[in-house]
Amino acid sequence: MVIHDGSREEKDDTTYKVTLRNVTGHTTVGRDNKVVGGIGAPAGSASQVTETQLAELKAEFVRVREFVEGLDDAGEREKGAAADRLEELEAAVTDGEPDVRTMGRVRAWFAE
């Protein structure tokens, strides 16, 4: 949440030119901004993944694999590489402690 405090008596006519590329986090530009929030999920039961959520996630991996296999404009090599990345991603997400580095690498591969 960003709060812009417009209660200042004097008005500031400062101009900001901002160019952003590939930003994955929050960005705040200007003066007198107050940023309030936290990082990560809350501790406790709210952050636990249920069996239902895990089953839904695995079903989505199946759906994406089927989507990739059905692509007409991709060659077998590209489809195989995508299937390999999906396998890496699924393992990074579902095998014990999440592997955020692998998640980021796979995301970058698909974005490219």
Side-chain angles (χ1 to χ4, degrees), residues 15-38:
T15 301
Y16 297 93
K17 179 179 179 184
V18 180
T19 303
L20 302 173
R21 290 186 180 91
N22 299 324
V23 174
T24 59
H26 298 276
T27 302
T28 303
V29 177
R31 290 189 177 173
D32 301 323
N33 296 321
K34 180 179 179 184
V35 179
V36 180

Side-chain angles (χ1 to χ4, degrees), residues 9 24-26 30 42 54 60-61 63-64 66 72 83 89 92 109 111:
E9 291 285 330
T24 59
H26 298 276
L54 187 58
E60 284 301 309
F61 276 107
R63 189 184 67 76
V64 172
E66 290 171 352
D72 293 332
L89 181 60
W109 186 89

